[in-house]
Amino acid sequence: MQIYADMDRIDRIESDMANGLKPGYEQVSEWMETLGDERLYELARRIRMRRDGRRIDMCSIMNARSGRCSEDCKWCAQSKFHKTDIEVYPLVGEQEAVREAAHNASKGVRRFSLVTSGRALSDGETDRVCGIYRRIGSEVDISLCASLGLLSKEQLVRLRQSGVRRYHCNLETAPSYFGELCTTHTQQQKLQTIAWAREAGLEICCGGIIGMGETMEDRVDLALTVRELGVKSIPMNVLNPIPGTPLEGAAPLADEEVLTTVAVFRFINPDAFLRFAGGRAAFVQSGLPAENLVEYGEARFCYEEGYQAMHHVLEEHPEITAAYAIADVVAIGAMRAAQDAGRTVGKDLSIIGFDGLALGEYLTPRLATIGQSVERLAREATGTLLDAIENGAPARRVTVPFTVI
């Protein structure tokens, strides 16, 4: 009965938010404490689906100047205060930047940004960057963004005149915690840059990094601060500890903590795009070409959803060569969509599912899938549920062995 009561409560919260509820610190904290992880994530999913459905807005950045940064941000490999093994180079050339922007546009990326190390640009460097942006704007069909440090209002106006539409300046963490991570500039200076950018006619992209020793309360505070600024594009980064930086020994966050943080940002900023770059490190470590990875989004557990998802992906990214589905029924729908689109599954397109359904053996070609013992899954789930009911045991994560079929 508690499950049904909680779902009714989620329905009410979703309705309240659709009618304009702006949850504060106390409300969000209470939801985290009482809803439980799965229902918390379900609420966040519903809010996202109501706002954007499956729409994904992809952006890309180019490291346009690397290393020798004068700032002492503890998380950053580019600071001159830290001994890290990074490539150091000056501002990139115009042709290189145009080529990178064109490459991203050809992959379906909608936004492109130059990012430079250092506190800010000189006036001469600003002239060069504006020239690069003007050329990209004349040759490439892509929206232009910039992340160039603590620029002056006059420099930001020049960027706007050169075709830049959005300026990125992360607050990084809660106002109360920022001083623990950086001493060479303040968060107030970042807020001033954001205000000047807005006065110059630029949209704002502003978020932060989690996993730097902050508390969940700090993350809620950051989400609320960003909402107060009216930001509609929020980068959410998970710290990648870099050897040689003060945070090189930071413990990785548990998956549940990352997901809960994302849910919190969704509750507090329901109308914003939350921007992620997750998974790239794992692909690189596995020797896979992460630059060719396309994330579609959600598909519910049915054939039709799998069909529609694959149909959309093939329209937007006909160059893909492999797809992973969250369930076999989704994969079967994806296979049919691929075949209807003239693709040969097993030859020019690989599809793998998850569940090990016997039906997959009777398809042509057979469905590649990941199988687990249903009996073992049922036993583990029932045991965990009974332990919670009878003994008040907390939820636990169980890993069941799997095989690739």
Side-chain angles (χ1 to χ4, degrees):
M1 295 300 294
Q2 183 61 42
I3 292 176
Y4 292 108
D6 284 343
M7 295 307 294
D8 287 342
R9 186 177 174 213
I10 287 176
D11 292 340
R12 291 195 299 272
I13 295 172
E14 181 188 8
S15 177
D16 288 344
M17 293 199 66
N19 290 322
L21 171 68
K22 293 184 176 180
Y25 179 88
E26 290 77 14
Q27 281 177 300
V28 172
S29 298
E30 194 266 337
W31 294 348
M32 286 192 290
E33 291 176 4
T34 61
L35 283 179
D37 288 347
E38 294 304 320
R39 286 179 281 281
L40 198 74
Y41 307 154
E42 170 61 16
L43 177 58
R45 187 195 69 82
R46 291 190 189 184
I47 295 169
R48 181 265 174 107
M49 291 297 290
R50 179 186 291 272
R51 196 273 186 194
D52 287 314
R54 296 185 180 85
R55 187 160 60 106
I56 292 177
D57 185 55
M58 291 190 293
C59 60
S60 181
I61 64 174
M62 178 183 188
N63 190 8
R65 183 176 67 186
S66 181
R68 299 196 183 100
C69 181
S70 62
E71 309 305 287
D72 67 355
C73 308
K74 290 184 177 180
W75 63 86
C76 186
Q78 302 208 37
S79 171
K80 70 178 184 180
F81 294 92
H82 313 324
K83 295 181 179 180
T84 58
D85 184 21
I86 64 164
E87 188 177 1
V88 177
Y89 51 84
L91 196 62
V92 298
E94 186 174 290
Q95 187 61 40
E96 184 180 357
V98 173
R99 184 168 56 248
E100 185 70 12
H103 171 73
N104 279 277
S106 72
K107 298 298 183 181
V109 176
R110 297 181 57 196
R111 303 178 187 277
F112 178 76
S113 177
L114 299 180
V115 179
T116 55
S117 64
R119 183 185 182 91
L121 298 181
S122 67
D123 285 340
E125 289 167 335
T126 302
D127 288 338
R128 287 183 57 195
V129 167
C130 287
I132 292 172
Y133 277 121
R134 281 191 291 269
R135 183 170 169 194
I136 294 174
S138 68
E139 297 184 16
V140 184
D141 182 17
I142 198 166
S143 296
L144 299 177
C145 308
S147 182
L148 309 171
L150 305 177
L151 299 187
S152 68
K153 182 177 179 180
E154 189 272 337
Q155 288 173 310
L156 292 161
V157 169
R158 287 157 64 190
L159 279 178
R160 179 66 176 81
Q161 293 171 343
S162 70
V164 175
R165 293 295 177 264
R166 179 174 291 174
Y167 197 74
H168 168 260
C169 185
N170 271 354
L171 292 183
E172 309 301 1
T173 190
S176 60
Y177 192 62
F178 185 83
E180 299 294 321
L181 299 170
C182 179
T183 65
T184 49
H185 61 269
T186 66
Q187 200 174 79
Q188 188 58 44
Q189 289 172 302
K190 286 176 170 286
L191 290 169
Q192 180 62 78
T193 299
I194 290 170
W196 282 336
R198 188 163 271 148
E199 290 175 13
L202 294 162
E203 299 173 359
I204 302 301
C205 182
C206 177
I209 307 171
I210 64 174
M212 299 192 293
E214 78 287 343
T215 64
M216 184 60 75
E217 290 76 11
D218 290 326
R219 296 170 199 159
V220 175
D221 192 10
L222 174 60
L224 289 167
T225 301
V226 171
R227 183 174 73 183
E228 291 171 6
L229 293 173
V231 175
K232 300 304 180 185
S233 176
I234 305 175
M236 296 189 66
N237 304 291
V238 180
L239 178 71
N240 177 25
I242 304 295
T245 66
L247 297 182
E248 65 178 343
L253 298 178
D255 293 347
E256 292 82 2
E257 191 168 0
V258 174
L259 292 173
T260 297
T261 302
V262 172
V264 164
F265 270 75
R266 176 53 67 211
F267 301 151
I268 295 174
N269 298 278
D271 296 326
F273 277 104
L274 303 183
R275 301 191 177 278
F276 311 97
R280 295 184 66 87
F283 271 74
V284 171
Q285 290 166 8
S286 300
L288 298 173
E291 68 274 10
N292 294 329
L293 173 66
V294 174
E295 179 181 349
Y296 172 71
E298 298 183 33
R300 298 191 183 188
F301 293 82
C302 65
Y303 301 107
E304 177 62 23
E305 291 272 337
Y307 185 97
Q308 294 299 333
M310 179 56 76
H311 176 74
H312 174 81
V313 168
L314 290 175
E315 280 192 336
E316 295 291 323
H317 299 278
E319 74 279 4
I320 71 164
T321 59
Y324 166 71
I326 58 174
D328 283 354
V329 291
V330 176
I332 293 169
M335 289 177 67
R336 177 59 185 269
Q339 291 164 351
D340 287 353
R343 303 294 291 271
T344 303
V345 178
K347 184 177 180 181
D348 60 355
L349 177 64
S350 299
I351 296 176
I352 186 169
F354 189 100
D355 279 334
L357 294 184
L359 176 61
E361 297 183 16
Y362 297 93
L363 300 176
T364 304
R366 291 184 179 181
L367 174 65
T369 183
I370 297 172
Q372 291 177 301
S373 167
V374 175
E375 180 183 351
R376 174 76 178 274
L377 287 169
R379 187 168 62 249
E380 293 287 357
T382 303
T384 300
L385 179 60
L386 290 175
D387 199 19
I389 294 172
E390 297 173 356
N391 305 313
R396 62 192 179 95
R397 169 172 291 191
V398 178
T399 300
V400 175
F402 65 89
T403 55
V404 178
I405 302 172

